[in-house]
Structures are given as C-alpha cells and as structure tokens.
Amino acid sequence: MKAFFSPALRVASHSLRLHLRDRFFGLFLLFSLLLIYSSLLVGVMAVYQERRALVDFGLALMELMGLAFCVYASATAVSSEVETKTIYLVFSRPVPRHSYLLGKMLAVFGAAAVLLAATALMHSSLLLLRGHAPDGPYFAALAYSWLKLTIISSLVFAVSMFSTSSLSSMVIGFILWMLGHFAPETVLMAAQAAGEGSLLELLARLIPNFQLFNFKDALDVRGAAAPPLAALPYAAAWWAGSYGFAWALLRRKEF
Amino acid sequence: MNRAAAVEFDGTGKIYYLPRLGRPQPLEAVKDVSFGIRRGEILGLLGLNGAGKTTLMKLMAGLLSPTSGSVRVLGSDPRDPESRRRTGFLPELPYFYPRYRPAEALAYYASLSGMDRAAAAPAVSSVMEKVGLAPHAGKRISEFSKGMMQRLGLAQALVHGPDLVILDEPASGLDPIAIHDMRVLITGLREEGRTVVLSSHSISELEKVADRVVMLSRGSVVSCVESGAWRGTEGGLEKLFMEAVR
C-alpha cells in the first residue's frame, strides 16, 4: 500500500503546487471574484428576493469557473508532461503509473477545492455584508458542486488518455457536463428512440447524472433541505470507474 | 546473466506502431541487438539520426518494453522498481517547471526516487555543487540558459546516487566551456565507480570520454570498438565509424 500511496501523494503535492502557481488558475480565480462581486447588481435588481438571487447566482458562477478550470487542468495534466518530456523524468523512477495517475487526479481535485474555497470566502463575505449569513445548506451545496467537479475531472482524465489533443478532451468534457445535467431525459429519449435495452440506451447510461448533485437548486425549497447522501457512493463509483479506465489506457502507453 | 554486466541486451528488438488510418504502420527501431555494458565503464552509443540510440536508452530506463528479446539492467528487469531506483536518466533537451528553483525541482525528483526529506536535502546541495549550479540556487528555472538546464538535467539524473547513469546527448546545445565541464563530470562519474551510457552525434566527444563505443545503423549494432582501437588508429574514431556505417 505504501508503494502505491507514497509516490501518489508526492506527485499530488507537487502537481497541486504547480496548479496553484499556474497563471490560468490565477486568471480563473480573479475572473470568478470579479463576477461574484458584480453579482451584487443582480441582488439589487431582485429587490425582495435579494438573498436567493445572490446565493443562486454566486453558486452557479463558482461552479462554472470551477468547471472551466477542472476541464482545462484535467485535459492538460498528463498531455503537457508528455509534450515537455517531463514524464520521462517521472517514469524512469520507481513511480508506478497507477500512482502517478492517482496523484495527478488528486491534485486537480485539491486545486478545485482551493478555487471553490477562495471564491466561497469572497461570496460569503458579500452575503454577510448584505445581511444574509450563509448557512449549513449553503456550504453543503458548495460541497456537492465540488463533487460534480471531481466527477467531470475524472471523466476528462479518462478521455485525455485516448483523445488526440487536449482541446478535443476539453470539448468532450464540456459536452459530458451538459449531457450530465439532462441524464435521465437522455436515457428516456434513447430508450424511446431505439427501444429499451438498446445500445443507445446503454450509451446514454454511461453519462453521469449531475442532477443528483444539484443541491443548490433545493436551497430555497421547503422540505428539500436534506443533502442527498446517495450521491456520495455514486460519485465514488464514477471516480473509480474513470480512474480504472484511464489507468487501463495509461499502462499500455509508450512515450 | 553476466554478473559483471550493468546492462545486457539479448536479441532485443523494438517495433513502434505508427498510427495510420485503418492499420497501424510498424516501424522497426531496433533489430536483434545483443551486447553488454560492463560495470564502471563509460559506453558511448554512436549512430546517425534514427539509428536507434534513444530507443536503446529508453529500453534501459524502463520507459519502453522490448518487442522481442530481453533487456536486463543491474541484474533485473529495467521496469523493476529496484532497478529504477539505481538508474539515472537524462533525456535529450530536458524541461523543468519554469517557476521552480533548481533545489525544488531536484527535491521533487529525489523524493520520486524514494529518498526521504532528511536524505534528499544534503543530496540536493551536493549534486548542485557538483554540476556547478550552486551559484544559481536563488534563480528561477525560467531564468536558466540552455547550458544551465542541461546541468540541472544531469543533476536530476544523479541526485539519488544511481549506479547506472544514462545520458542522451548530454552535450547537445552546450558552449565549449560547458562541454568541457560536462566531460569532466562524466569522467568523474566513472571514477566514483558508476556506469555511464551516453549517446552523442559528436564523434570527438565520445573519443575523449568513452571506454568503448557501440556503433549503430538502422537499428542494428554494426561495430563495437574499445578506446585502444581508435587511439592507435590514424583518423581515430571517425574513420572507424565511417567504415562501419558505409
């Protein structure tokens, strides 16, 4: 176990530092903060619904900027090391490929958490300033956003192992993100179009259901305040599946 | 397995499959290569572009698997973690994260080689001193010249004290003084008892440092000469190489 986790944690801590020092991370963070600050205008326009507008708009912005960062970071995490040949310096050492992959994925998860935490700090401060203290469900909604981001990151990692360029991995990532918000509808349409148990329906089922994680939609709905705990093992299954698929491809690659 | 051999190629072949529409196109980079590298020697790999030098080095570093035959490094499979712990590899034109300082990069690579922090810190200082990077310790890698990058590349290959050092074109792009320093460093490695394998396009460089040179052409070994052979021949290694590859 030590031989598996020790190199993974070393790769993760190094890669996390690189993400946090990356110009793009800084730009995503700065842009998120600007957008969140400008969301004050939306709150003003909403008049009696100011809290709801500020919370909804802020959480959505944080998630979108997190998505942009995660898709970019996951798509380029391995390919940039292949292009610069730094991967030679890693794989010529006693670093198993499965540990390397795990380390890279954990680093993106960690960077996404830092990005969400930094933007949430600013957002919470604005909410407090306007007299709307953020509550437990607000932070639960943030945690579920992070889970969504980790799932899409794992999927983009898996895609980047067979994709011909980082750009195509990113495009596929965004498409999966959009489809994932209509997963049940997509499965239903596939079953209606090609019949139940068809290949199309099976493929539609290979899209993660991101609706499960949209706890932020339920924040202002009476009686729907309990976070969906079933989403946790569901997220874990997607991490494991994507990681396994990515590893199966990476272990065969020659550089 | 010869106990005195640091590396042994036995009928080794490597075929790359280039992606093509329909069916991948095979490219035979190395064909039926057999030779050994003695412990403590400096062995040069000499060949034209595409002769298979880098492929042989990647096979030794465990980055590639042979398609046929076998490779043994320090008595085991090159992909074995123990063998990797005892091997240092410098790829051609190495790249490092530009925002790092050299000691940070070296500490990371030392940790990946299995060194703990307590052991890595003195090893990093010592190797920086050895390759002449100590005066530049405060700079970011983005400020480094090509020669300094090459020195850093050599430092990462040596930081964990490997028994076998594989250097792919270590003098590539260096100025004459840096080439001289690199040569002194490489001969110093032999004096420390390490085995060094290096590839070069520069015949004169190999002539000066190598104990033995393996000449490659189109993926096959065409000749293997000891230093005594070129030192006692008019025209030196260049003449021997031309005779071998023509």
Side-chain angles (χ1 to χ4, degrees), chain A residues 170-195:
Chain A
M170 287 189 241
V171 170
I172 295 170
F174 285 118
I175 291 172
L176 283 172
W177 176 265
M178 282 192 286
L179 285 176
H181 286 86
F182 303 99
E185 292 83 353
T186 312
V187 172
L188 186 70
M189 281 165 63
Q192 283 180 348

PDB file of all heavy atoms in Angstrom, chain A residues 170-195:
ATOM      1  N   MET A 170     -11.107  18.670 -23.867  1.00  0.00           N
ATOM      2  CA  MET A 170     -11.890  19.728 -23.205  1.00  0.00           C
ATOM      3  C   MET A 170     -13.300  19.810 -23.794  1.00  0.00           C
ATOM      4  O   MET A 170     -14.274  19.927 -23.051  1.00  0.00           O
ATOM      5  CB  MET A 170     -11.173  21.072 -23.350  1.00  0.00           C
ATOM      6  CG  MET A 170      -9.939  21.188 -22.480  1.00  0.00           C
ATOM      7  SD  MET A 170      -9.280  22.859 -22.492  1.00  0.00           S
ATOM      8  CE  MET A 170      -7.678  22.602 -23.155  1.00  0.00           C
ATOM      9  N   VAL A 171     -13.374  19.731 -25.125  1.00  0.00           N
ATOM     10  CA  VAL A 171     -14.690  19.821 -25.783  1.00  0.00           C
ATOM     11  C   VAL A 171     -15.576  18.665 -25.315  1.00  0.00           C
ATOM     12  O   VAL A 171     -16.745  18.863 -24.940  1.00  0.00           O
ATOM     13  CB  VAL A 171     -14.528  19.824 -27.337  1.00  0.00           C
ATOM     14  CG1 VAL A 171     -15.870  19.666 -28.017  1.00  0.00           C
ATOM     15  CG2 VAL A 171     -13.843  21.108 -27.786  1.00  0.00           C
ATOM     16  N   ILE A 172     -14.993  17.451 -25.307  1.00  0.00           N
ATOM     17  CA  ILE A 172     -15.773  16.285 -24.860  1.00  0.00           C
ATOM     18  C   ILE A 172     -16.204  16.476 -23.401  1.00  0.00           C
ATOM     19  O   ILE A 172     -17.323  16.154 -23.010  1.00  0.00           O
ATOM     20  CB  ILE A 172     -14.964  14.979 -25.053  1.00  0.00           C
ATOM     21  CG1 ILE A 172     -14.733  14.729 -26.541  1.00  0.00           C
ATOM     22  CG2 ILE A 172     -15.672  13.781 -24.423  1.00  0.00           C
ATOM     23  CD1 ILE A 172     -13.756  13.607 -26.865  1.00  0.00           C
ATOM     24  N   GLY A 173     -15.309  17.039 -22.602  1.00  0.00           N
ATOM     25  CA  GLY A 173     -15.619  17.297 -21.191  1.00  0.00           C
ATOM     26  C   GLY A 173     -16.834  18.214 -21.038  1.00  0.00           C
ATOM     27  O   GLY A 173     -17.747  17.939 -20.260  1.00  0.00           O
ATOM     28  N   PHE A 174     -16.848  19.301 -21.824  1.00  0.00           N
ATOM     29  CA  PHE A 174     -17.982  20.241 -21.728  1.00  0.00           C
ATOM     30  C   PHE A 174     -19.285  19.587 -22.213  1.00  0.00           C
ATOM     31  O   PHE A 174     -20.346  19.822 -21.644  1.00  0.00           O
ATOM     32  CB  PHE A 174     -17.691  21.519 -22.520  1.00  0.00           C
ATOM     33  CG  PHE A 174     -16.714  22.434 -21.829  1.00  0.00           C
ATOM     34  CD1 PHE A 174     -15.491  22.745 -22.396  1.00  0.00           C
ATOM     35  CD2 PHE A 174     -17.006  22.971 -20.580  1.00  0.00           C
ATOM     36  CE1 PHE A 174     -14.587  23.579 -21.745  1.00  0.00           C
ATOM     37  CE2 PHE A 174     -16.113  23.813 -19.919  1.00  0.00           C
ATOM     38  CZ  PHE A 174     -14.898  24.113 -20.497  1.00  0.00           C
ATOM     39  N   ILE A 175     -19.160  18.764 -23.259  1.00  0.00           N
ATOM     40  CA  ILE A 175     -20.363  18.076 -23.767  1.00  0.00           C
ATOM     41  C   ILE A 175     -20.907  17.123 -22.688  1.00  0.00           C
ATOM     42  O   ILE A 175     -22.120  17.085 -22.414  1.00  0.00           O
ATOM     43  CB  ILE A 175     -20.045  17.324 -25.081  1.00  0.00           C
ATOM     44  CG1 ILE A 175     -19.771  18.335 -26.205  1.00  0.00           C
ATOM     45  CG2 ILE A 175     -21.188  16.383 -25.474  1.00  0.00           C
ATOM     46  CD1 ILE A 175     -19.260  17.726 -27.482  1.00  0.00           C
ATOM     47  N   LEU A 176     -20.001  16.378 -22.059  1.00  0.00           N
ATOM     48  CA  LEU A 176     -20.433  15.449 -20.999  1.00  0.00           C
ATOM     49  C   LEU A 176     -21.088  16.203 -19.841  1.00  0.00           C
ATOM     50  O   LEU A 176     -22.054  15.744 -19.241  1.00  0.00           O
ATOM     51  CB  LEU A 176     -19.240  14.640 -20.483  1.00  0.00           C
ATOM     52  CG  LEU A 176     -18.762  13.499 -21.372  1.00  0.00           C
ATOM     53  CD1 LEU A 176     -17.474  12.902 -20.843  1.00  0.00           C
ATOM     54  CD2 LEU A 176     -19.836  12.411 -21.465  1.00  0.00           C
ATOM     55  N   TRP A 177     -20.532  17.366 -19.539  1.00  0.00           N
ATOM     56  CA  TRP A 177     -21.084  18.193 -18.455  1.00  0.00           C
ATOM     57  C   TRP A 177     -22.532  18.592 -18.778  1.00  0.00           C
ATOM     58  O   TRP A 177     -23.427  18.464 -17.944  1.00  0.00           O
ATOM     59  CB  TRP A 177     -20.211  19.435 -18.267  1.00  0.00           C
ATOM     60  CG  TRP A 177     -20.712  20.420 -17.251  1.00  0.00           C
ATOM     61  CD1 TRP A 177     -21.480  21.518 -17.495  1.00  0.00           C
ATOM     62  CD2 TRP A 177     -20.501  20.383 -15.834  1.00  0.00           C
ATOM     63  NE1 TRP A 177     -21.741  22.178 -16.321  1.00  0.00           N
ATOM     64  CE2 TRP A 177     -21.158  21.513 -15.288  1.00  0.00           C
ATOM     65  CE3 TRP A 177     -19.816  19.531 -14.984  1.00  0.00           C
ATOM     66  CZ2 TRP A 177     -21.141  21.792 -13.922  1.00  0.00           C
ATOM     67  CZ3 TRP A 177     -19.798  19.812 -13.623  1.00  0.00           C
ATOM     68  CH2 TRP A 177     -20.464  20.925 -13.105  1.00  0.00           C
ATOM     69  N   MET A 178     -22.723  19.034 -20.014  1.00  0.00           N
ATOM     70  CA  MET A 178     -24.081  19.469 -20.394  1.00  0.00           C
ATOM     71  C   MET A 178     -25.040  18.286 -20.415  1.00  0.00           C
ATOM     72  O   MET A 178     -26.139  18.364 -19.857  1.00  0.00           O
ATOM     73  CB  MET A 178     -24.042  20.155 -21.756  1.00  0.00           C
ATOM     74  CG  MET A 178     -23.521  21.574 -21.662  1.00  0.00           C
ATOM     75  SD  MET A 178     -23.773  22.497 -23.157  1.00  0.00           S
ATOM     76  CE  MET A 178     -22.571  21.807 -24.231  1.00  0.00           C
ATOM     77  N   LEU A 179     -24.604  17.183 -21.042  1.00  0.00           N
ATOM     78  CA  LEU A 179     -25.472  15.997 -21.106  1.00  0.00           C
ATOM     79  C   LEU A 179     -25.788  15.475 -19.703  1.00  0.00           C
ATOM     80  O   LEU A 179     -26.898  15.003 -19.444  1.00  0.00           O
ATOM     81  CB  LEU A 179     -24.797  14.893 -21.927  1.00  0.00           C
ATOM     82  CG  LEU A 179     -24.779  15.083 -23.437  1.00  0.00           C
ATOM     83  CD1 LEU A 179     -23.993  13.970 -24.102  1.00  0.00           C
ATOM     84  CD2 LEU A 179     -26.201  15.113 -23.997  1.00  0.00           C
ATOM     85  N   GLY A 180     -24.799  15.584 -18.821  1.00  0.00           N
ATOM     86  CA  GLY A 180     -24.971  15.081 -17.449  1.00  0.00           C
ATOM     87  C   GLY A 180     -26.075  15.791 -16.685  1.00  0.00           C
ATOM     88  O   GLY A 180     -26.625  15.241 -15.726  1.00  0.00           O
ATOM     89  N   HIS A 181     -26.402  17.009 -17.109  1.00  0.00           N
ATOM     90  CA  HIS A 181     -27.488  17.735 -16.449  1.00  0.00           C
ATOM     91  C   HIS A 181     -28.863  17.343 -16.999  1.00  0.00           C
ATOM     92  O   HIS A 181     -29.887  17.802 -16.499  1.00  0.00           O
ATOM     93  CB  HIS A 181     -27.253  19.243 -16.544  1.00  0.00           C
ATOM     94  CG  HIS A 181     -26.162  19.697 -15.624  1.00  0.00           C
ATOM     95  ND1 HIS A 181     -24.846  19.674 -15.989  1.00  0.00           N
ATOM     96  CD2 HIS A 181     -26.193  20.104 -14.333  1.00  0.00           C
ATOM     97  CE1 HIS A 181     -24.105  20.095 -14.975  1.00  0.00           C
ATOM     98  NE2 HIS A 181     -24.900  20.356 -13.949  1.00  0.00           N
ATOM     99  N   PHE A 182     -28.824  16.534 -18.075  1.00  0.00           N
ATOM    100  CA  PHE A 182     -30.083  16.025 -18.631  1.00  0.00           C
ATOM    101  C   PHE A 182     -30.022  14.503 -18.729  1.00  0.00           C
ATOM    102  O   PHE A 182     -30.597  13.912 -19.652  1.00  0.00           O
ATOM    103  CB  PHE A 182     -30.326  16.627 -20.029  1.00  0.00           C
ATOM    104  CG  PHE A 182     -30.360  18.123 -20.043  1.00  0.00           C
ATOM    105  CD1 PHE A 182     -29.241  18.859 -20.425  1.00  0.00           C
ATOM    106  CD2 PHE A 182     -31.493  18.806 -19.633  1.00  0.00           C
ATOM    107  CE1 PHE A 182     -29.260  20.241 -20.407  1.00  0.00           C
ATOM    108  CE2 PHE A 182     -31.513  20.196 -19.615  1.00  0.00           C
ATOM    109  CZ  PHE A 182     -30.392  20.916 -20.002  1.00  0.00           C
ATOM    110  N   ALA A 183     -29.285  13.883 -17.824  1.00  0.00           N
ATOM    111  CA  ALA A 183     -29.032  12.432 -17.939  1.00  0.00           C
ATOM    112  C   ALA A 183     -30.328  11.606 -17.957  1.00  0.00           C
ATOM    113  O   ALA A 183     -30.503  10.762 -18.857  1.00  0.00           O
ATOM    114  CB  ALA A 183     -28.094  11.977 -16.833  1.00  0.00           C
ATOM    115  N   PRO A 184     -31.259  11.799 -17.003  1.00  0.00           N
ATOM    116  CA  PRO A 184     -32.470  10.961 -17.035  1.00  0.00           C
ATOM    117  C   PRO A 184     -33.272  11.159 -18.322  1.00  0.00           C
ATOM    118  O   PRO A 184     -33.783  10.197 -18.907  1.00  0.00           O
ATOM    119  CB  PRO A 184     -33.271  11.436 -15.820  1.00  0.00           C
ATOM    120  CG  PRO A 184     -32.290  12.128 -14.945  1.00  0.00           C
ATOM    121  CD  PRO A 184     -31.280  12.716 -15.867  1.00  0.00           C
ATOM    122  N   GLU A 185     -33.320  12.424 -18.775  1.00  0.00           N
ATOM    123  CA  GLU A 185     -34.053  12.720 -20.016  1.00  0.00           C
ATOM    124  C   GLU A 185     -33.377  12.050 -21.210  1.00  0.00           C
ATOM    125  O   GLU A 185     -34.038  11.527 -22.117  1.00  0.00           O
ATOM    126  CB  GLU A 185     -34.133  14.242 -20.256  1.00  0.00           C
ATOM    127  CG  GLU A 185     -35.000  15.004 -19.267  1.00  0.00           C
ATOM    128  CD  GLU A 185     -34.300  15.355 -17.956  1.00  0.00           C
ATOM    129  OE1 GLU A 185     -33.159  14.881 -17.750  1.00  0.00           O
ATOM    130  OE2 GLU A 185     -34.893  16.066 -17.133  1.00  0.00           O
ATOM    131  N   THR A 186     -32.038  12.073 -21.211  1.00  0.00           N
ATOM    132  CA  THR A 186     -31.288  11.463 -22.315  1.00  0.00           C
ATOM    133  C   THR A 186     -31.546   9.962 -22.364  1.00  0.00           C
ATOM    134  O   THR A 186     -31.763   9.393 -23.444  1.00  0.00           O
ATOM    135  CB  THR A 186     -29.765  11.725 -22.138  1.00  0.00           C
ATOM    136  OG1 THR A 186     -29.577  13.096 -21.853  1.00  0.00           O
ATOM    137  CG2 THR A 186     -28.974  11.358 -23.379  1.00  0.00           C
ATOM    138  N   VAL A 187     -31.554   9.324 -21.177  1.00  0.00           N
ATOM    139  CA  VAL A 187     -31.799   7.873 -21.127  1.00  0.00           C
ATOM    140  C   VAL A 187     -33.208   7.572 -21.641  1.00  0.00           C
ATOM    141  O   VAL A 187     -33.409   6.658 -22.443  1.00  0.00           O
ATOM    142  CB  VAL A 187     -31.614   7.342 -19.683  1.00  0.00           C
ATOM    143  CG1 VAL A 187     -32.058   5.888 -19.576  1.00  0.00           C
ATOM    144  CG2 VAL A 187     -30.158   7.485 -19.251  1.00  0.00           C
ATOM    145  N   LEU A 188     -34.187   8.385 -21.205  1.00  0.00           N
ATOM    146  CA  LEU A 188     -35.572   8.188 -21.622  1.00  0.00           C
ATOM    147  C   LEU A 188     -35.719   8.334 -23.141  1.00  0.00           C
ATOM    148  O   LEU A 188     -36.344   7.497 -23.811  1.00  0.00           O
ATOM    149  CB  LEU A 188     -36.464   9.213 -20.904  1.00  0.00           C
ATOM    150  CG  LEU A 188     -37.961   9.052 -21.132  1.00  0.00           C
ATOM    151  CD1 LEU A 188     -38.480   7.794 -20.444  1.00  0.00           C
ATOM    152  CD2 LEU A 188     -38.729  10.284 -20.634  1.00  0.00           C
ATOM    153  N   MET A 189     -35.084   9.383 -23.670  1.00  0.00           N
ATOM    154  CA  MET A 189     -35.178   9.623 -25.120  1.00  0.00           C
ATOM    155  C   MET A 189     -34.499   8.497 -25.897  1.00  0.00           C
ATOM    156  O   MET A 189     -35.007   8.069 -26.945  1.00  0.00           O
ATOM    157  CB  MET A 189     -34.535  10.971 -25.479  1.00  0.00           C
ATOM    158  CG  MET A 189     -35.439  12.161 -25.167  1.00  0.00           C
ATOM    159  SD  MET A 189     -34.551  13.714 -25.192  1.00  0.00           S
ATOM    160  CE  MET A 189     -34.044  13.788 -26.880  1.00  0.00           C
ATOM    161  N   ALA A 190     -33.363   8.028 -25.381  1.00  0.00           N
ATOM    162  CA  ALA A 190     -32.648   6.938 -26.063  1.00  0.00           C
ATOM    163  C   ALA A 190     -33.492   5.668 -26.059  1.00  0.00           C
ATOM    164  O   ALA A 190     -33.563   4.960 -27.069  1.00  0.00           O
ATOM    165  CB  ALA A 190     -31.310   6.691 -25.376  1.00  0.00           C
ATOM    166  N   ALA A 191     -34.158   5.409 -24.916  1.00  0.00           N
ATOM    167  CA  ALA A 191     -34.995   4.205 -24.809  1.00  0.00           C
ATOM    168  C   ALA A 191     -36.192   4.308 -25.744  1.00  0.00           C
ATOM    169  O   ALA A 191     -36.592   3.314 -26.369  1.00  0.00           O
ATOM    170  CB  ALA A 191     -35.457   4.025 -23.375  1.00  0.00           C
ATOM    171  N   GLN A 192     -36.749   5.516 -25.875  1.00  0.00           N
ATOM    172  CA  GLN A 192     -37.900   5.699 -26.758  1.00  0.00           C
ATOM    173  C   GLN A 192     -37.498   5.606 -28.226  1.00  0.00           C
ATOM    174  O   GLN A 192     -38.225   5.067 -29.055  1.00  0.00           O
ATOM    175  CB  GLN A 192     -38.569   7.040 -26.478  1.00  0.00           C
ATOM    176  CG  GLN A 192     -39.421   7.000 -25.209  1.00  0.00           C
ATOM    177  CD  GLN A 192     -40.093   8.321 -24.906  1.00  0.00           C
ATOM    178  OE1 GLN A 192     -39.766   9.340 -25.509  1.00  0.00           O
ATOM    179  NE2 GLN A 192     -41.025   8.311 -23.967  1.00  0.00           N
ATOM    180  N   ALA A 193     -36.320   6.132 -28.531  1.00  0.00           N
ATOM    181  CA  ALA A 193     -35.880   6.159 -29.926  1.00  0.00           C
ATOM    182  C   ALA A 193     -35.424   4.793 -30.417  1.00  0.00           C
ATOM    183  O   ALA A 193     -35.765   4.380 -31.522  1.00  0.00           O
ATOM    184  CB  ALA A 193     -34.745   7.177 -30.090  1.00  0.00           C
ATOM    185  N   ALA A 194     -34.637   4.100 -29.565  1.00  0.00           N
ATOM    186  CA  ALA A 194     -34.034   2.844 -30.047  1.00  0.00           C
ATOM    187  C   ALA A 194     -34.555   1.618 -29.311  1.00  0.00           C
ATOM    188  O   ALA A 194     -34.134   0.505 -29.606  1.00  0.00           O
ATOM    189  CB  ALA A 194     -32.522   2.933 -29.896  1.00  0.00           C
ATOM    190  N   GLY A 195     -35.448   1.816 -28.374  1.00  0.00           N
ATOM    191  CA  GLY A 195     -36.014   0.691 -27.638  1.00  0.00           C
ATOM    192  C   GLY A 195     -35.268   0.430 -26.337  1.00  0.00           C
ATOM    193  O   GLY A 195     -34.067   0.732 -26.235  1.00  0.00           O
TER     194      GLY A 195
END
